[in-house]
Amino acid sequence: MIYLVLALLALGLLLLWLARRTRRAAGLPAGRVVAQDTLGPRRAGESLYDPVLDLAGRPDYLVEQGERLIPIEIKSGRSHAGPRPSHRLQLAAYCRLVESVYARRPPYGILQYADQTYAIAYTRDLEAELTETLADLRADLDGALDRSHESPERCRACGFREGCDQALA
């Protein structure tokens, strides 16, 4: 009987060690994963939405650390010379969405590249840059945006396909 208890204890410790190792390899910080968007095509109803900026999206992971929620975006490519400006703004958008939906302002978000992880502070300056960029993009559009792709595969994976009047698939 004692051997069985010791074996179960050893198995439990091994599983705990493997879980922590896997979490570190994935670039996830300590905390509870409360949302994950890496398991397949998204559905429009699952997106976070900010009505003030008319912005929708979903980070790859959302990790809860006490009262804080940290958005994490996983990029398959290499970081080269640091985080790309477009990726910083994408992460800022996720921070804004988390704040809008959960009423908790993330202090930072995480960009995880294949070769490097960056914690990006969600400052008022970064938020202002996001807001300005969205305003500039909307001013440049000046109307409806037509889809610019010819890929039915990409269309099938889109979370907004069901409500799209230009769906290819």
Side-chain angles (χ1 to χ4, degrees), residues 74-163:
I74 308 294
K75 299 296 182 187
S76 59
R78 300 176 57 81
S79 66
H80 302 287
R84 293 186 173 102
S86 61
H87 295 167
R88 284 181 62 255
L89 286 175
Q90 181 184 11
L91 191 62
Y94 293 146
C95 288
R96 172 65 187 239
L97 290 167
V98 167
E99 182 177 16
S100 177
V101 171
Y102 297 101
R104 295 192 245 177
R105 184 178 176 87
Y108 65 94
I110 294 176
L111 277 174
Q112 169 74 40
Y113 290 94
D115 63 336
Q116 186 73 38
T117 300
Y118 297 94
I120 308 294
Y122 183 50
T123 63
R124 295 292 177 193
D125 288 343
L126 182 57
E127 183 179 15
E129 184 182 349
L130 170 68
T131 304
E132 289 172 25
T133 301
L134 288 171
D136 290 345
L137 288 171
R138 288 185 175 127
D140 288 346
L141 289 176
D142 196 26
L145 177 65
D146 287 337
R147 303 305 168 251
S148 62
H149 63 83
E150 300 288 331
S151 170
E153 295 81 24
R154 182 176 178 188
C155 188
R156 270 192 287 279
C158 178
F160 300 95
R161 178 175 47 111
E162 291 164 10

Side-chain angles (χ1 to χ4, degrees), residues 49-62:
Y49 180 69
D50 178 1
V52 173
L53 292 181
D54 193 23
L55 182 66
R58 187 166 198 84
D60 290 327
Y61 292 96
L62 194 55

